[in-house]
Amino acid sequence: MTATDKARNFLEQIIEKDLAEGRVSRIHTRFPPEPNGFLHVGHATSICLNFGLAEKYQGECNLRFDDTNPEKEEQVYVDAIQEDIRWLGFKWSGDVCYASSYFDQFYDWALHLIREGKAYVDHQDAESMRINRGDFNKPGVESADRNKSVEENLAEFEKMRAGEYEEGKASLRAKIDLQSPNMNLRDPVLYRIRKVPHHQTGDKWCIYPSYDFAHGQEDAIEHITHSICTLEFQDHRPLYEWFLDNLPVPARPRQYEFARTNLNYTVTSKRKLKKLVDEGVVGGWDDPRMPTISGMRRRGYTPASIRRFSEMVGVSRSDGTADVSMLEHAIRDDLNTNAARAMAVLAPLKLVIQNLPEGEVQEMTAAAHPNRPELGQRTLPFTREIYIDHEDFTEDTMLSRKKFKRLVIGDYVRLRSAYVIRADDVIKDENGNIVEVHASFVPGTVGEDPPEGIRPRGVIHWVSATHGQQAELRIYDRLFNHPAPDRGEEDFLSHINPESLKVMQAWIEPSLVNAAPEQTFQFEREGYFVADRCDHSAEHPVFNLTIGLKDTWANKG
Ligand code: ATP
Ligand code: MG
């Protein structure tokens, strides 16, 4: 390892120590999503962390679905999660793993605990169980079932498994310590009855293990060495270890906690994201405004930008909130380097070049990228009628060159990758609105300086009115207009930014109709756009605004 590869965070320090001291010969991590929604940007950082560590230390990383909660889980989520991870550029070790593949093993281990006198079937309802568990100031109270014999418990557990009890009428609990200051150790539930089919195991089970009873044992079965989770599981660690101590597990994983990634102007909770989808606030889980991986993908984020963002937020041991502008910066930076340039006119104003005959087409060539000749060139048809942006023209001849570096009546401007032109006249409708500008081009100015005495005010973009194409542009902005949409008393839905989507028609340079879905562009002077991966076609071009050229939120406070 070189000096630049040195440990970047506390987890890397731990791993390097474990490898150096021989506690492990190779690291094995895992990413364990519950398939109850699409993954979001917070999960993306956890993916980059777990898979990234395995890459860095030549270990392995499993993808394991933590599917112990059948009523909230669905196959579509299982599929979407795999797609997201592949798209981010990571490869899991071996086959996809499922907690549900270990249900037989968990069941045997439950029997093991019962036989050892370390688990019992409790018939208290959920409410009594909660009350009798006590709290930090109040000791727990034993259930009448706590000291029943092993035989009775085996028989009761068998009845649970056979479906003889209704939901809520019995649960299997570990017999640990009802006085423990750590509430997780006050006889946690190992199995509960849920009479619902499971997306992987069908009708085989009507009892399902709890997260706590499943997670560490899954890690042990898969020989995970470093089980990395978020901080809220810190208090569960003694329980994680209790199971490993009390079960004949094949390996001894260790749990480490790091802080969740929180982002301002964003909600990162599958439950709340599901609400946005279910209530039709957004078009779906992959709506380009969603902080889901699939939403960001459709918005035009690249895997590299998301990986870069994960590095920027790093790994921390205490909770904090990252600025969403970091994420935006990561994609802007990536696209500035990698996106091809193109021209699109969003607020078209017709400009007629009087000294260019009707029907004449001159082919201009322009680099796809100013600093990357290897990306090639494109051809721009230059015709008598073109569109420029309304904002790029004014009749106000008093505006100084410094204030208005665009087209002014009687003055010159350069058309990007084409001629210098002069605006000669305007045509207005009966209400006085400008509908057309008449102009003339200065011959010999393509790629050449204009003659002495002609000083263009600036450079503006344009599209041929006869050869350009129309496209639908979806102009996205942040979904929430509040920095902490779900941290206050009020409903997070009250902070939806009403301006988060505007749909408009624009004129685009002709080559853009052939854009491949997901191809990204900088529409010069407008922003970074991506061909929509679902709706874009040559017949109906659709581009999504990924991000503006500059951060327009920076000064909004
Ligand atoms: P949510 O609250 O959004 O439903 P979750 O933690 O319940 O998230 P899981 O599917 O259980 O979602 O998470 C899979 C993995 O991703 C876990 O290891 C979890 O700790 C991690 N993870 C979830 N949210 C974040 C986040 N915001 N930042 C970093 N890691 C996260
Ligand atoms: Mg969870």
Side-chain angles (χ1 to χ4, degrees), residues 443-490:
T445 52
V446 177
E448 302 288 337
D449 285 336
E452 278 279 326
I454 295 180
R455 262 208 315 142
R457 283 182 169 237
V459 183
I460 64 170
H461 61 285
W462 58 279
V463 168
S464 163
T466 43
H467 289 61
Q469 301 280 331
Q470 277 202 285
E472 177 179 326
L473 298 193
R474 299 176 180 166
I475 307 296
Y476 293 106
D477 199 354
R478 292 180 185 170
L479 183 56
F480 294 99
N481 55 17
H482 190 284
D486 57 350
R487 300 282 153 81
E489 294 286 297
E490 64 291 348

Side-chain angles (χ1 to χ4, degrees), residues 31-34 40 42-43 45-46 228 230 258 260-261 268-270:
F31 175 67
E34 187 183 353
H40 53 62
H43 295 111
T45 59
S46 176
I228 300 162
T230 39
F258 78 110
R260 293 188 159 251
T261 303
T268 46
S269 143
K270 278 182 271 181

Side-chain angles (χ1 to χ4, degrees), residues 353-374:
I353 304 194
Q354 305 286 321
N355 56 346
L356 195 69
E358 211 162 316
E360 181 170 332
V361 182
Q362 295 193 13
E363 296 211 323
M364 305 290 150
T365 51
H369 193 289
N371 314 323
R372 300 192 49 193
E374 75 277 15

Side-chain angles (χ1 to χ4, degrees), residues 341-359:
R341 274 40 176 177
M343 291 197 279
V345 174
L346 275 59
L349 171 61
K350 189 173 280 183
L351 190 136
V352 183
I353 304 194
Q354 305 286 321
N355 56 346
L356 195 69
E358 211 162 316

